[in-house]
Amino acid sequence: MSTADGTSNYEYVNARVRARRAALFDDEDYRKLLRMGPGEIARYMEETEYESEINALGARYDGVDLVEYALNRNLAKHFDDMLDWSGGKLYTLIARYLRKFDAWNVKTVLRGIYADADSQSVRDDLIHAGEFERSFLDRLADAGAIEDVVEMLHGTIFGDHLEAAHGDYESTGLLIPLENAVDRAYYEGLMEGVTQTENRATQLYVEFLQAEIDFRNIRNALRISRSGADIDPSEYFISGGRLFKAAELSQLAGNTDELISQVRESTYGNDLDEALDELERADSLIGFEHALDAALLEYSEHLSYVFPLSVCPVLAYILAKQKEVDNIRAIARGREAGLSEDEIEDELVML
């Protein structure tokens, strides 16, 4: 396994990533899946690069369960491979970015407890691609209360932020303060110690992260605004982006028209045109968030093409692979729930 010691090997890693990108599902694959039931989806996946996971798990699971376990195992395998291939600074940048799955898992546990889901259901949604050990994630999934999770995460990058947000959670009864605290801990930890004064590869990493932070701040501010909760968005502002200051975002959260106008005039204006049109047209936060995800994918791919010998193609692949898994899962769950093709398609993020 590679480590942070040694030299960065961008050319080799990005060549491997390009090969993996070529195997990602495209719109035609999704159109086929939309017409299938969960069992048929699993059989279709067996003919793709998910073959080994489907075969390994097929004796124990079927239907949606088989699809979900195969997706999660495949995702973790791909990201472990990238760390195995990488060395030097590139390894460090990828490993730090993959902590996003620690953040995902923490939020998944919090949501499960909030919704009174059983621990096995929570475990099924965990993705073993971050730094947390499987045994620790199992203990989180078994936690009986939000307070227990906050206590167990003391000493991790999420601990202080969750403890500070716990009062808002108790006073509002909403998960938003805790979810935003997790995002804030992850992104601020990601930016810590990384500056624009380093080499060009690191500068591009920072530029990519700034875009992701700006998009996350927009999303969080609108969620708080739409919740009607008495929460100041500036308290959960993630520093490190380029587009907003904390006080400014707090003012804009209550004025969607002004927020849209400012984003249109920003450096992301062209990239977010479709997302902003969706928000204005449908006034749909879910539609806007999906359009934001698509815009971030497009932005990451743009950086990848312009700067192929950098960390950007790797980050773009991580986003694209994660989105593929989300899309396949949404289709399988939607088909099992009896949703129409149009209803399921509204849940997908495609370029």
Side-chain angles (χ1 to χ4, degrees):
M1 179 176 178
S2 296
T3 67
D5 299 327
T7 58
S8 298
N9 49 345
Y10 291 99
E11 190 168 355
Y12 171 74
V13 173
N14 286 332
R16 300 294 298 266
V17 166
R18 280 196 300 274
R20 293 286 174 96
R21 280 197 71 100
L24 290 174
F25 281 28
D26 58 21
D27 289 358
E28 181 59 29
D29 289 307
Y30 293 133
R31 277 192 285 272
K32 291 176 182 176
L33 294 180
L34 281 167
R35 296 191 290 270
M36 298 178 184
E40 294 172 296
I41 292 172
R43 288 192 290 275
Y44 185 87
M45 290 170 65
E46 192 176 5
E47 302 300 320
T48 70
E49 68 105 28
Y50 292 94
E51 177 185 7
S52 63
E53 288 80 16
I54 292 291
N55 288 336
L57 296 164
R60 282 183 287 165
Y61 306 104
D62 59 14
V64 172
D65 289 340
L66 175 57
V67 170
E68 297 214 27
Y69 280 115
L71 288 172
N72 288 348
R73 180 179 289 194
N74 180 271
L75 189 70
K77 178 189 77 174
H78 276 268
F79 296 160
D80 283 344
D81 285 348
M82 284 192 293
L83 290 173
D84 286 342
W85 301 334
S86 307
K89 185 70 172 180
L90 178 59
Y91 175 94
T92 300
L93 296 178
I94 295 172
R96 277 179 139 190
Y97 190 72
L98 287 176
R99 288 177 189 159
K100 75 184 306 176
F101 293 102
D102 291 329
W104 163 274
N105 289 331
V106 170
K107 288 192 284 188
T108 296
V109 168
L110 292 171
R111 289 166 184 163
I113 294 172
Y114 188 77
D116 201 25
D118 64 87
S119 60
Q120 187 56 53
S121 298
V122 174
R123 280 196 188 88
D124 291 346
D125 284 339
L126 299 179
I127 298 173
H128 300 280
E131 291 186 339
F132 286 164
E133 297 288 340
R134 185 180 293 265
S135 57
F136 180 65
L137 290 173
D138 284 343
R139 292 205 309 276
L140 287 177
D142 287 336
I146 297 287
E147 294 76 12
D148 296 335
V149 174
V150 173
E151 184 176 338
M152 291 168 70
L153 289 165
H154 179 76
T156 71
I157 65 169
F158 306 106
D160 289 345
H161 288 275
L162 283 171
E163 288 165 16
H166 191 253
D168 277 346
Y169 160 70
E170 289 193 316
S171 64
T172 64
L174 299 173
L175 273 185
I176 290 173
L178 295 177
E179 291 180 327
N180 286 3
V182 171
D183 289 335
R184 189 175 183 180
Y186 166 66
Y187 285 109
E188 291 184 0
L190 205 54
M191 295 294 286
E192 192 174 305
V194 181
T195 69
Q196 289 279 22
T197 60
E198 298 187 47
N199 61 40
R200 182 57 177 152
T202 306
Q203 290 172 4
L204 290 168
Y205 180 74
V206 170
E207 185 175 333
F208 175 86
L209 295 183
Q210 285 175 329
E212 194 163 343
I213 288 170
D214 283 331
F215 289 10
R216 178 61 60 180
N217 276 328
I218 295 169
R219 184 193 310 253
N220 287 349
L222 285 171
R223 280 183 177 178
I224 291 173
S225 175
R226 297 294 174 90
S227 74
D230 185 20
I231 302 173
D232 182 355
S234 67
E235 294 180 15
Y236 297 97
F237 177 79
I238 303 168
S239 61
R242 289 185 289 176
L243 196 54
F244 303 106
K245 293 182 174 62
E248 182 181 30
L249 189 64
S250 184
Q251 293 174 345
L252 291 172
N255 189 334
T256 304
D257 290 340
E258 195 173 333
L259 175 63
I260 290 173
S261 176
Q262 182 153 334
V263 176
R264 282 198 193 280
E265 294 169 7
S266 74
T267 184
Y268 307 118
N270 291 334
D271 297 302
L272 291 179
D273 261 350
E274 187 175 335
L276 296 170
D277 288 344
E278 173 70 24
L279 186 61
E280 285 185 319
R281 179 174 58 250
D283 197 33
S284 163
L285 189 53
I286 292 176
F288 176 69
E289 290 188 357
H290 287 165
L292 267 184
D293 288 339
L296 186 62
L297 277 172
E298 287 189 26
Y299 187 71
S300 68
E301 291 192 357
H302 166 72
L303 289 179
S304 299
Y305 290 128
V306 176
F307 306 106
L309 291 182
S310 72
V311 71
C312 293
V314 178
L315 302 183
Y317 173 73
I318 291 172
L319 283 180
K321 180 65 180 176
Q322 183 183 2
K323 201 49 57 185
E324 173 183 272
V325 166
D326 290 345
N327 283 340
I328 297 172
R329 179 183 290 113
I331 293 171
R333 287 180 173 177
R335 295 301 291 169
E336 184 182 52
L339 300 181
S340 70
E341 290 183 21
D342 287 342
E343 287 173 319
I344 298 171
E345 198 163 354
D346 285 342
E347 296 299 315
L348 307 184
V349 175
M350 296 186 288
L351 296 179

